[in-house]
């Protein structure tokens, strides 16, 4: 079984980006944590990050064609990108939406996600552990 972990804009700057909100874990640490979780569970985990919406759409199309489950932190696109939502709608395997911070404790505009209604589940506010929990849930389900 394979899981794609996809990250949207600015998440490549984890560790230096607003550490009071997103923590000290770097993006490289996040990749390592997700891969280690995959190894522990016998799941192939591939982690990617992009600041380009078109690139994320291409990755979602790839996951749709391959029937691959997706753990997605679409970052700011979460709140307004109908294009990302439409690409997620094409997925046939489960989609888990993850946010490192508790978006509901922050600015009002972060409280709305255009993705949650089509996600199997949503994990917010548990830091990078949210990704590990999402991978574990997908592995248990397989
Ligand atoms: C985020 C929350 C979003 O509101 C924000 O735009 C991000 C990161 C999170 O992981 O907490 O870039 O998705």
């Amino acid at each position: 079984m394979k899981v794609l972990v996809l990250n949207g804009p600015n998440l490549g700057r984890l560790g230096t980006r607003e550490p009071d909100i997103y923590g000290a874990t770097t993006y490289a640490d996040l990749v390592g944590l997700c891969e280690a979780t995959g190894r522990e569970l016998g799941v192939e985990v591939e982690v990617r990050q992009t600041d380009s919406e078109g690139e994320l759409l291409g990755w979602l199309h790839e996951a749709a064609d391959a029937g691959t489950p997706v753990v997605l932190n679409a970052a700011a696109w979460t709140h307004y990108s109908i294009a990302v939502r439409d690409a997620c709608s094409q997925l046939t395997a489960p989609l888990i939406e993850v946010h490192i911070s508790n978006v509901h404790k922050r600015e009002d505009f972060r409280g709305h996600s255009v993705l949650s209604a089509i996600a199997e589940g949503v994990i917010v506010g548990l830091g990078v552990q949210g990704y590990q929990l999402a991978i574990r849930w997908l592995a248990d389900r397989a």
Side-chain angles (χ1 to χ4, degrees), residues 34-49:
C34 291
E35 289 175 349
T37 303
R39 274 194 300 279
E40 181 196 323
L41 301 171
V43 171
E44 186 192 340
V45 172
E46 190 179 337
V47 188
R48 302 180 192 171
Q49 188 274 329

Side-chain angles (χ1 to χ4, degrees), residues 23-139:
T25 305
T26 65
Y27 177 71
D29 293 337
L30 171 68
V31 173
L33 280 171
C34 291
E35 289 175 349
T37 303
R39 274 194 300 279
E40 181 196 323
L41 301 171
V43 171
E44 186 192 340
V45 172
E46 190 179 337
V47 188
R48 302 180 192 171
Q49 188 274 329
T50 185
D51 292 328
S52 152
E53 192 174 358
E55 189 166 33
L56 179 65
L57 296 178
W59 292 343
L60 289 166
H61 298 160
E62 178 189 322
D65 289 344
T68 308
V70 172
V71 175
L72 176 62
N73 185 346
W77 294 326
T78 304
H79 309 301
Y80 67 88
S81 175
I82 306 304
V84 172
R85 174 175 166 135
D86 286 351
C88 289
S89 295
Q90 297 170 49
L91 295 170
T92 49
L95 167 71
I96 311 296
E97 177 182 350
V98 170
H99 299 285
I100 295 167
S101 65
N102 182 350
V103 285
H104 302 292
K105 270 200 208 166
R106 301 179 61 196
E107 302 94 327
D108 284 351
F109 66 84
R110 295 188 203 275
H112 178 67
S113 163
V114 298
L115 307 177
S116 297
I118 53 164
E120 197 75 28
V122 182
I123 301 173
V124 304
L126 302 184
V128 292
Q129 234 191 300
Y131 290 78
Q132 295 174 288
L133 293 167
I135 294 166
R136 192 172 289 278
W137 187 87
L138 288 166

